[in-house]
Amino acid sequence: MRATVIHAPYDIRVEEVPDAAVRHPGDAVVRVLRACICGSDLWAYRGEAARQPGQRIGHEFLGIVEETGSEVAGLRAGDLVVAPFMWSDGTCDYCSEGLFTSCVHGGFWGSVGHDGGQGEAVRVPHADGTLVKLPAGAASDDHLLTALLALSDVLGTGHHAALGAGVRQGSTVAVVGDGAVGLCGVLAAKRLGAERIIALGRHPARTDIAKLFGATDVVAERGEAAEAAVRELTGGQGAHAVIEAVGTEQSMRTAVGITRDGGAIGYVGVPHGSGTGLDLGVMFDRNISLRGGVAPVRAYIPELLGDVLSGAIDPAPVFDRGVVLDEVPDGYRAMDDRTALKVIIKP
């Protein structure tokens, strides 16, 4: 089969690799209908996250079950399924508590020795605990498939950030970051009943999506100017809930600076310097809480799925460019130079 591999920084290739196959009784093989490129994939692409030459890449996909191992009980060939960005057994103590990302038998797609999502098929370990069945009819609805793909990562991650920030009915929310996760954070905040949502972003194509998703205000400034703009919009107080979806020092400093006393920050931006943006003395004095981390999206898929199927929420607009498998290197270049927000792959 063909799949995406990374050989070195800026060297992404689509190559022939061994076919995905059942190796263990709990495995399933999924033929990929939709996959995509994540902003976090760019850290490997740019050489800021280590990868071995020839390692697979990609962690967001949905598709059709082709084959199951002898111990798989809840799935059968022909099922349409979505995969969260990590596999998990669904039975360990952490999974039982909803923290699927800490599963003792879990792992990330594309890790050494495992298939990545950006290919024609994927071997799924612990298939019963990992995969979530979707309505079969969705396979023929291109727009709905696109929206459902967001359940594999960005929609659940935005939801995790909103929960961490304590978004509730009537609250004022600020979202730092105009990538796909930040935009899904806007969507999640709206879904949870936020009355005012301030999106921080400088790219009109992205802030237009933020408005579509429920943002009431847009702040294009950065740094201290952004802090001043948010405080002006909030009567000098700041936002009750702040979603941090970037992970840099500047984004975290901004998040702290725009949080209302007694408020909370939900952080889901993959950290690359964000720890240096934290002043615990300031947070202590102002009673600012910090919650977040790797989103256990497997826990959120059942809750969010119904709203996507009903059309109550539609994350599909975050995918603004489509490629076939052979064009995946072009997709990485487009996201790296910011001419694409999030690239969907149709193998």
Side-chain angles (χ1 to χ4, degrees):
M1 70 175 199
R2 293 175 63 74
T4 306
V5 298
I6 183 167
H7 285 270
Y10 302 100
D11 186 1
I12 293 281
R13 308 177 196 175
V14 179
E15 298 179 340
E16 292 288 337
V17 300
D19 286 344
V22 169
R23 296 184 191 171
H24 305 290
D27 290 352
V29 173
V30 174
R31 174 170 53 87
V32 177
L33 294 182
R34 298 289 185 275
C36 56
I37 301 171
C38 183
S40 63
D41 291 329
L42 297 181
W43 299 116
Y45 181 69
R46 295 165 180 160
E48 297 179 41
R51 293 292 187 275
Q52 294 184 8
Q55 190 172 336
R56 305 285 182 84
I57 196 167
H59 55 262
E60 300 158 278
F61 64 95
L62 59 75
I64 302 291
V65 175
E66 294 279 283
E67 182 182 1
T68 60
S70 60
E71 293 182 2
V72 176
L75 300 164
R76 62 182 182 179
D79 285 342
L80 179 66
V81 294
V82 63
F85 64 79
M86 290 184 67
W87 69 82
S88 53
D89 62 21
T91 59
C92 76
D93 288 346
Y94 290 112
C95 289
S96 298
E97 295 167 4
L99 193 60
F100 294 88
T101 49
S102 291
C103 176
V104 296
H105 299 117
F108 286 93
W109 310 113
S111 57
V112 175
H114 293 275
D115 296 337
Q118 295 167 14
E120 292 181 321
V122 178
R123 178 181 75 88
V124 178
H126 302 288
D128 276 332
T130 300
L131 298 172
V132 178
K133 284 200 288 188
L134 303 172
S140 60
D141 186 329
D142 185 68
H143 184 90
L144 180 57
L145 272 185
T146 299
L148 290 168
L149 179 59
L151 291 168
S152 66
D153 186 346
V154 290
L155 182 58
T157 298
H159 179 68
H160 186 59
L163 293 179
V167 177
R168 60 191 183 279
Q169 194 76 29
S171 59
T172 294
V173 181
V175 180
V176 182
D178 60 2
V181 170
L183 294 173
C184 285
V186 172
L187 193 61
K190 179 67 173 178
R191 177 179 176 274
L192 291 171
E195 180 176 320
R196 191 172 195 182
I197 304 172
I198 304 167
L200 280 69
R202 298 181 298 162
H203 304 87
R206 300 182 179 203
T207 54
D208 285 348
I209 296 174
K211 293 175 185 175
L212 177 67
F213 283 178
T216 55
D217 304 271
V218 171
V219 168
E221 293 84 356
R222 301 183 72 179
E224 292 182 0
E227 295 178 30
V230 172
R231 291 199 170 273
E232 183 176 355
L233 287 169
T234 56
Q237 293 187 344
H240 300 103
V242 175
I243 291 172
E244 194 287 312
V246 183
T248 63
E249 176 181 356
Q250 177 176 293
S251 64
M252 189 58 81
R253 288 190 185 280
T254 298
V256 173
I258 63 177
T259 304
R260 185 180 188 271
D261 287 16
I265 300 168
Y267 73 106
V268 292
V270 178
H272 38 286
S274 58
T276 56
L278 288 171
D279 187 330
L280 292 181
V282 169
M283 297 177 69
F284 182 86
D285 290 343
R286 297 177 50 217
N287 279 284
I288 293 174
S289 301
L290 180 68
R291 294 186 294 269
V294 184
V297 298
R298 178 61 182 82
Y300 303 138
I301 290 174
E303 174 184 352
L304 298 171
L305 174 58
D307 281 357
V308 174
L309 291 174
S310 72
I313 56 174
D314 179 13
V318 300
F319 299 96
D320 62 343
R321 177 169 174 173
V323 298
V324 297
L325 193 57
D326 286 339
E327 298 170 331
V328 167
D330 296 331
Y332 272 85
R333 284 189 287 270
M335 285 183 61
D336 185 49
D337 65 20
R338 299 183 74 85
T339 58
L341 167 61
K342 189 168 182 66
V343 173
I344 193 168
I345 303 163
K346 302 179 180 181

